[in-house]
Amino acid sequence: MAPGSSRLLVAVVALLHAAAAGNGGPLTRYDRVFSFGDSLTDTGNALHLSATTGGPASRPPYGETFFRRPTGRASDGRLVIDFLVEALGVPHPTPYLAGKTAADFRRGVNFAFGGATALDLRFFESRGLGSFVLVSLRNQTVWFNDVLRLLGAEQRKTMATSLFLVGEIGVNDYFIGLNENRTVGEVETFVPHVVGAIRSVVTDVIAAGASAVLVPGMIPLGCEPQLLTLYRGSVDAAGYDPESGCITRLNGLAELHNRELRRALGGLRRAHPGTTIVYADLYRAVTDIIVSPREYGAHALHARNRQQISSFPCFVPDRFLISSSHAGFRHRPLDACCGGGGGAYNYDDAAFCGAAGAAACADPSEYVSWDGVHYTEAANRLVACSVLQGSHSHGADAMTTLSNSSATTEDWLHRIGCV
Ligand SMILES: *[C@@H]1O[C@H](CO)[C@@H](O)[C@H](O)[C@H]1NC(C)=O
Ligand SMILES: *[C@@H]1O[C@H](CO)[C@@H](O)[C@H](O)[C@H]1NC(C)=O
Ligand SMILES: *[C@@H]1O[C@H](CO)[C@@H](O)[C@H](O)[C@H]1NC(C)=O
């Protein structure tokens, strides 16, 4: 044993005791997490398929802020799911494709896969879209059933003591249509299908014994640097939201998805009164940061603790004006941190983050978007805080319905530095 390691062991043992002391209390409400989704939630699955193993998230500078190496996460550090897991005090779920045995999966499983769609290839083909769908929600359900088989007799008890995350999923379905020049109106016709696929997964996990399901909604598509770049020149000034600088029509697509998703969840709650089903408003969490970036700046959490910030201390209306002179979280929340640079949003499809010639900004914590598609660790933490705080949630959507007490929610928030 190396000299330092006995001290480390002592620290680990102390931690285990601390965790054990909490046993039986409200903090141990969930023992593990199971999750479904796309690159916003993938913690290593895409690294394990030969077709995707060398993707951008497998290369530097991905992971530079937190893990100090690429882990397959599409960010400079942790994802929203990492913060939620830390807040709950449960293990990081095993990426499905990195596990084999029941023992690998007892700690929870992450089925989310970078690039995953809600819908199957057949749907896109029937619309004349020659897309490339490697993993859909149907694949993730097949994987989930495989885990259920492995768990055998432990299955129902395991499901009942787990928190399920179903989403975010659907952003790639919409990207496929928008990238092939379909009108937003046509892409809106995908919404009932996408929401139906999500509802089907929620139904499946409830049938397997789930007692608590968190369903994150769609992100504000019109604020994505990739889409802002794609639509540049084809949207006139009136097509941008004056407050956020985002494309109104694309945000409307996300809002439609979210309305239909919430309606579907309402139906599921009525059909399954014994299951807690909570909607997480990612849309509001992200647009809040974009609309008042100074309030959520790099040091906002710290400053907030010192109560030095009142809301909108100094509104900067030109923060989204087209200029490549200065990029910063507080001033230009629609710029990507990492990529080939240039362009209005510091985004270039041909020089995506992780490619030769692409580089990251000096301080990712000042940016909302990491690579033009995915968020920075700084934004992900704030989104996790917003989900846990449920600042836009009421009734059945409030996180306290998942935590079972406001004291528990407070503990969760403290653990990841929200308050
Ligand atoms: C996903 O499902 C499709 C259709 O069943 C199948 O052809 C494909 O091999 C699956 N992909 C993976 C990675 O399992
Ligand atoms: C979409 O339209 C743009 C601009 O008109 C064009 O350059 C691009 O090739 C089109 N893409 C597809 C997939 O048709
Ligand atoms: C919430 O806590 C109370 C008391 O600790 C318990 O009786 C109840 O079953 C819990 N509700 C849920 C949904 O876990």
Side-chain angles (χ1 to χ4, degrees), residues 60-62 64-65 76 336-340 346 353-354 357-364 367 370:
Y62 283 82
E64 67 168 20
T65 298
D76 58 310
C337 160
C338 179
N346 193 35
C353 183
C361 61
D363 184 359
Y367 287 72
W370 162 243

Side-chain angles (χ1 to χ4, degrees), residues 150-275:
L150 280 169
L151 292 174
E154 302 164 53
Q155 176 193 320
R156 289 206 83 79
K157 184 164 166 275
T158 304
M159 298 299 111
T161 52
S162 302
L163 176 65
F164 285 79
L165 263 87
V166 181
E168 175 283 327
I169 184 90
V171 71
N172 291 315
D173 301 72
Y174 303 136
F175 273 166
I176 286 171
L178 297 172
N179 264 318
E180 297 205 30
N181 293 346
R182 298 304 165 94
T183 64
V184 179
E186 180 177 349
V187 174
E188 280 173 350
T189 66
F190 297 6
V191 170
H193 302 273
V194 169
V195 169
I198 297 170
R199 180 177 46 215
S200 159
V201 173
V202 176
T203 306
D204 287 347
V205 302
I206 292 172
S211 67
V213 190
L214 179 64
V215 186
M218 186 49 52
I219 56 172
L221 296 166
C223 309
E224 288 280 276
Q226 184 200 30
L227 288 174
L228 283 160
T229 303
L230 180 70
Y231 280 86
R232 211 175 153 229
S234 58
V235 174
D236 61 18
Y240 293 91
D241 176 65
E243 201 183 3
S244 65
C246 304
I247 299 172
T248 310
R249 191 86 172 83
L250 292 175
N251 275 355
L253 167 62
E255 288 175 17
L256 174 68
H257 170 103
N258 290 338
R259 274 196 306 279
E260 299 225 354
L261 180 59
R262 292 176 96 143
R263 188 178 319 140
L265 298 183
L268 285 167
R269 283 185 194 118
R270 285 188 293 279
H272 305 279
T275 307

Side-chain angles (χ1 to χ4, degrees), residues 49 97 113 120 134-136 138-139 142-143:
L49 274 196
L97 295 173
F113 189 96
D120 295 329
L134 206 55
V135 169
S136 67
R138 195 184 303 271
N139 292 96
V142 169
W143 297 347

Side-chain angles (χ1 to χ4, degrees), residues 29 276 401 404:
R29 166 112 215 260
T276 306
T401 61
N404 200 13

Side-chain angles (χ1 to χ4, degrees), residues 360-381:
C361 61
D363 184 359
S365 75
E366 295 192 333
Y367 287 72
V368 177
S369 183
W370 162 243
D371 59 10
V373 178
H374 312 97
Y375 303 114
T376 57
E377 159 163 312
N380 284 332
R381 182 201 300 272

